[in-house]
């Protein structure tokens, strides 16, 4: 990457056509050096560049491209993510203006997924009935996550019979 930056700087400062240099770069490289390319006069269609990125890079560079003038739709991006990916990127989606709620995600998850992501769902404001969920699934519970279950609203009488403690010395 450092070598590319040096070469790019050389080409752009020594009269090479900025659009020609830009055309030789992969989409991620164009995003990475966007400021330098635009300063050199490259004409970059930001929406087209965004469309060339995979979904994880769209999420990563959404704000950067938007700040440069790209007209992007945060809800459209969120709509292309699975509920689990939405949950994993909840803060980012919220920060770019996507209309997203933990309860909306909760309604799209299977019970096993809700249980697995119970701490995140409740952290982001979801109103999950943890007690009913645990009674329905009857999982063996890990003592390390006990506080998460309690924070999510599970009752101790629901948790204790399912609690498995590893008392072995390692």
């Amino acid at each position: 990457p450092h070598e590319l930056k040096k070469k790019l700087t050389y080409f752009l400062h020594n009269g090479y056509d900025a659009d020609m240099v830009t055309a030789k770069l992969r989409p991620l490289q164009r995003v990475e050096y966007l400021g330098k390319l635009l300063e050199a006069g490259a004409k970059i269609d930001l929406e087209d560049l965004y469309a060339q990125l995979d979904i994880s890079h769209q999420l990563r560079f959404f704000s950067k491209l938007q700040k440069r003038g790209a007209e992007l739709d945060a809800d459209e991006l969120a709509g292309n993510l699975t509920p689990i990916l939405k949950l994993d990127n909840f803060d980012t989606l919220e920060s770019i203006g996507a209309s997203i709620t933990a309860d909306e995600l909760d309604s799209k998850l299977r019970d096993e997924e809700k249980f697995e992501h119970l701490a995140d769902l409740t952290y982001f404001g979801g109103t999950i009935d943890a007690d009913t969920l645990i009674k329905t699934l009857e999982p063996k519970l890990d003592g390390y996550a006990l506080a998460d279950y309690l924070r999510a609203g599970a009752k101790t009488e629901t948790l204790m019979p399912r609690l498995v403690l590893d008392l072995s010395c390692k």
Side-chain angles (χ1 to χ4, degrees), residues 8-25:
L8 185 62
T9 301
Y10 172 82
F11 288 133
L12 294 175
H13 290 297
N14 287 293
Y16 284 81
D17 180 77
D19 290 324
M20 184 183 76
V21 172
T22 300
K24 300 287 184 186
L25 299 173

Side-chain angles (χ1 to χ4, degrees), residues 63-146:
S63 294
K64 179 177 184 173
L65 291 169
Q66 198 173 46
K67 285 176 186 169
R68 290 289 184 165
E71 294 185 24
L72 305 175
D73 185 341
D75 288 328
E76 183 179 317
L77 174 61
N80 292 326
L81 298 172
T82 65
I84 296 295
L85 283 175
K86 285 180 187 178
L87 188 57
D88 289 344
N89 295 285
F90 196 91
D91 286 333
T92 302
L93 289 168
E94 230 179 19
S95 75
I96 64 173
S99 302
I100 182 173
T101 67
D103 284 332
E104 169 211 336
L105 296 178
D106 172 44
S107 70
K108 294 179 180 171
L109 296 172
R110 296 184 333 268
D111 283 348
E112 294 79 11
E113 293 171 322
K114 290 178 192 179
F115 178 73
E116 186 178 331
H117 297 279
L118 189 59
D120 289 333
L121 286 166
T122 54
Y123 175 79
F124 292 123
T127 52
I128 293 94
D129 184 347
D131 216 41
T132 301
L133 184 62
I134 290 169
K135 286 177 182 177
T136 301
L137 293 175
E138 296 187 8
K140 298 290 183 207
L141 300 176
D142 180 340
Y144 292 109
L146 192 58

